[in-house]
């Protein structure tokens, strides 16, 4: 699993011309995120502080060799 802070995720997608909500819907439809039914993110403590994070499901076949 890969945790990405939601604000960072949204900003990166928006700056590159993508709609974060549309992309999160696609990820959910394709079972690529770990999130409750009504949300796209989970709360994760980072340095003791709670943060909303997008949790991506990544397996070894998703990573190209040499990455």
């Amino acid at each position: 699993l890969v945790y990405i802070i939601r604000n960072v995720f949204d900003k990166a997608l928006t700056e590159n011309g993508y709609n974060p909500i549309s992309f999160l819907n696609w990820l959910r439809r394709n079972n690529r995120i770990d999130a409750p039914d009504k949300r796209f993110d989970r709360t994760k403590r980072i340095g003791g502080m709670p943060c909303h994070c997008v949790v991506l499901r990544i397996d070894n076949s998703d990573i190209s060799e040499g990455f």
Side-chain angles (χ1 to χ4, degrees):
L1 297 176
V2 175
Y3 293 83
I4 304 171
I5 297 171
R6 177 68 188 266
N7 291 341
V8 174
F9 180 88
D10 289 350
K11 183 178 178 185
L13 266 64
T14 302
E15 286 178 353
N16 288 286
Y18 295 95
N19 181 318
I21 298 298
S22 294
F23 188 62
L24 286 165
N25 277 313
W26 181 87
L27 289 170
R28 174 170 282 155
R29 283 192 311 272
N30 289 280
N31 198 31
R32 305 304 285 173
I33 59 172
D34 181 25
D37 289 337
K38 304 230 185 240
R39 295 191 57 94
F40 293 113
D41 52 30
R42 290 194 171 277
T43 302
K44 176 77 172 166
R45 289 195 176 271
I46 300 174
M49 299 290 296
C51 297
H52 293 283
C53 295
V54 174
V55 183
L56 297 176
R57 292 184 177 130
I58 305 273
D59 60 30
N60 289 340
S61 65
D62 293 335
I63 301 171
S64 62
E65 199 165 318
F67 179 70

